[in-house]
Amino acid sequence: MSAALILVLAVALAYLAARVAFDWLARHFLVVSGAEYLLLGILLGPQVSGVLSAQTVQGFAPIVTMALGWIGTIVGMQFHLPMLVRIQGEMYKLAFLEALGTLAVVCGVELLATSSLFGLTYAEAAIPAIALGAIAAVSAPAGIEVVARRLGQRGTVVRQLQVTTAIDALVGVTALGLLFCIHHPGSTATSRPITVTEWAVITIAIGVVGGALFHLFLGNESDPDRIFISLAGAVVLASGAAAYLNLSPLLTSMVVGAMLVNTSRNREQIAKTLASAERPFYFALLIFAGATWAPSPRAWWLLPVVLFVVARALGKIGAGRLGARAMGVLPVLGPSWGRALLGQGGLALALALNYQQFQGMLLPQIVFTSAIVSILLTDFASAHIVASVVMPLVGRVRRRDGREQKAESREEKGESREQNVENHAARAGEER
C-alpha cells in the first residue's frame, strides 16, 4: 500500500469519525475529540514510523492551504455586524483585555527566553515571540458549546465566553497576519521594496476580491452543491493567492468570511455549508500537522515550549481576572472564568502550521511544537474545564433565583392573608 493511499485513508477515517463519534463523545462524556488525530499524524510521520515520508506530506500541501482558508472563513463568519451591535460593549472590552493581555504575557516571556537561550537580538526574538503570543491568545469554542448544550441555556457567563473566543480568534489571526506583513521576504520583481502598510492592504484586498467573486459567480443561489463549489473556489483563490505571496491565508480568508456574512442574503446557507465541512478539514489538518512535526535541532528547545504552556495558562487566568475586576463583573463571572478559555483547538494549530510553512521565520519547530503540546494537554479536557467553571456559577444563579422566588411567594402569601383579614373585617362590619 502506497504512502499516499495511507494518508487518504487516514483522512477518510477522520471524516467518518467526525460524522459518527464527535457528537456522541461530547454529549455523553464531555470529551472534545481531535487531539488523537494529531497523535496519529505524528505516529505515521517520518519522525516515528516513517510510513508517510516528507515528500508525500509535501505533496498534499495545497489541501493544507485550503484547510487553513476554510478555518479562516469560519472565523470571519462570526462577525455579522447586525448581531454584533446587539451585544453589550462591556463584553467586547473584557474580551479584548483578556486576549491582548494573554498575547502580551506570552510574548514577553518568550522574548526573554528565546533571546537568552539562542543568542538572538530582541528584534529577532520578537518574531517567534509574537507568533507564540498570537497562538496563545486563541481559545477553542468547542468545549464551551458542549457545556452550553448540556445546560440547555446560555447565561451571562456562557455568552461572555462565546464573545471572548470570537475576539481571541480575531486578535490571534490579525496579529499573525500583520507579523507576516512586517517580516516579509523581499520581492525582486518590483522596482522598490513593498512597505508593511502595502502588504497589509494587499492582504485585505485579496480577501475582498475573493468575497466579491463569490457574489459575481453565485449571486443569490440557494442550491447547497453550487454554494459549496463556489465557496470552495473563493477560499482556494484567497488562500492560494496569499500563500503564493507569502502572506497569511487565515487573515485573507477571514476577510472573505466577514464579507460574505455581511453582504449575502443566503448567509445561513453559507454558514451551514462551512460547518458541514469544518470537522473533516480540521481532522485532516490535525493528521497533516502531526505528520510534518519535527523536533528542533537547537539545544534547550524544550524550555520555551514549557514556558509557553505555563505563561499561556497564567495569562488567560490572570488577564481574565484583572479584566473582570476592571470592568466590575468579577462577582458575576467569578475570579477564575479565564480558566474556561484554556482549550486551544484547531485555530491554534492552523496558526502554528501557517507560521511553520512561512519562508524565513525563526524557530519554526519550537513555535509548532508549542502549539502541539498545548493542544494535546488541553483539548481532551477542555469541556470538563469549562464545566468546572460554569456549573458552579449557574448553580449559584439558580439558588439565588430560587430564594427570590420563595421570598416572592412568601410575600404573596402574606398579602393574601392580609387581604383575607381585610375582607373578613369588611363583611363583619356590613353584618353589624
Side-chain angles (χ1 to χ4, degrees):
M1 185 180 295
S2 66
L5 181 58
I6 292 176
L7 189 55
V8 171
L9 290 177
V11 173
L13 177 63
Y15 176 79
L16 293 176
R19 299 283 294 180
V20 176
F22 187 89
D23 289 332
W24 187 86
L25 287 172
R27 187 170 57 253
H28 289 83
F29 300 104
L30 286 180
V31 173
V32 178
S33 178
E36 64 270 25
Y37 297 99
L38 184 58
L39 284 174
L40 176 62
I42 294 175
L43 294 175
L44 293 176
Q47 300 301 321
V48 182
S49 65
V51 173
L52 301 176
S53 64
Q55 292 78 10
T56 301
V57 176
Q58 187 63 32
F60 286 86
I63 298 178
V64 176
T65 302
M66 183 177 179
L68 294 177
W70 203 269
I71 292 175
T73 307
I74 293 174
V75 172
M77 290 290 291
Q78 299 178 92
F79 302 110
H80 185 213
L81 293 179
M83 296 295 296
L84 296 179
V85 296
R86 300 176 186 175
I87 300 173
Q88 297 178 354
E90 287 75 10
M91 286 190 171
Y92 291 120
K93 293 178 183 178
L94 179 56
F96 274 109
L97 287 174
E98 181 276 325
L100 295 175
T102 303
L103 189 151
V105 169
V106 175
C107 182
V109 170
E110 295 293 338
L111 176 66
L112 296 176
T114 53
S115 62
S116 60
L117 287 174
F118 308 122
L120 303 176
T121 64
Y122 284 135
E124 293 172 334
I127 297 170
I130 293 173
L132 287 168
I135 295 168
V138 302
S139 302
I144 299 170
E145 293 299 324
V146 169
V147 174
R149 286 198 300 267
R150 170 164 287 196
L151 288 174
Q153 64 177 7
R154 298 178 185 270
T156 303
V157 181
V158 174
R159 188 57 179 156
Q160 179 64 65
L161 291 173
Q162 291 173 330
V163 172
T164 304
T165 55
I167 299 302
D168 286 349
L170 175 65
V171 170
V173 172
T174 304
L176 191 69
L178 292 179
L179 177 63
F180 289 173
C181 297
I182 296 171
H183 185 71
H184 194 280
S187 175
T188 59
T190 57
S191 57
R192 63 172 179 82
I194 299 178
T195 64
V196 174
T197 303
E198 289 170 340
W199 279 125
V201 171
I202 291 172
T203 302
I204 297 173
I206 292 172
V208 172
V209 170
L213 288 178
F214 177 87
H215 286 295
L216 179 63
F217 290 111
L218 195 66
N220 296 323
E221 180 64 48
S222 59
D223 181 71
D225 294 333
R226 295 192 63 185
I227 288 178
F228 178 83
I229 294 173
S230 299
L231 190 59
V235 171
V236 168
L237 173 65
S239 60
Y244 177 77
L245 294 174
N246 289 314
L247 298 171
S248 173
L250 287 164
L251 182 54
T252 57
S253 299
M254 186 178 72
V255 175
V256 171
M259 184 175 178
L260 292 180
V261 76
N262 286 289
T263 59
S264 300
R265 296 181 180 178
N266 51 357
R267 63 179 62 90
E268 293 182 0
Q269 187 61 49
I270 295 174
K272 290 179 181 178
T273 303
L274 286 167
S276 64
E278 177 186 6
R279 291 174 188 167
F281 271 124
Y282 171 43
F283 291 149
L285 189 66
L286 287 169
I287 294 174
F288 284 122
T292 58
W293 174 80
S296 175
R298 294 175 178 266
W300 302 100
W301 64 271
L302 192 58
L303 183 57
V305 175
V306 175
L307 288 175
F308 171 82
V309 176
V310 176
R312 180 178 182 271
L314 294 176
K316 286 288 181 184
I317 298 172
R321 183 169 186 171
L322 292 176
R325 185 184 296 276
M327 299 301 299
V329 294
L330 194 62
V332 178
L333 300 179
S336 301
W337 75 277
R339 186 156 46 90
L341 301 169
L342 291 180
Q344 280 273 242
L347 181 57
L349 183 66
L351 290 170
L353 190 60
N354 195 186
Y355 182 88
Q356 185 196 42
Q357 292 180 334
F358 195 83
Q359 295 181 8
M361 285 300 181
L362 297 174
L363 308 179
Q365 293 91 347
I366 292 177
V367 172
F368 194 45
T369 303
S370 299
I372 288 178
V373 171
S374 182
I375 290 170
L376 292 176
L377 291 177
T378 61
D379 258 24
F380 284 119
S382 62
H384 287 282
I385 296 173
V386 174
S388 69
V389 174
V390 174
M391 294 295 189
L393 295 173
V394 172
R396 187 174 64 186
V397 171
R398 288 176 177 173
R399 288 193 297 270
R400 183 188 63 192
D401 293 342
R403 288 195 298 267
E404 292 177 353
Q405 290 177 359
K406 289 181 180 179
E408 292 175 358
S409 178
R410 286 195 297 268
E411 291 177 358
E412 291 175 357
K413 289 180 180 179
E415 292 175 357
S416 178
R417 286 196 297 270
E418 292 176 359
Q419 186 65 36
N420 290 335
V421 171
E422 292 176 358
N423 293 338
H424 180 74
R427 286 196 298 270
E430 291 175 358
E431 291 175 357
R432 287 196 300 269

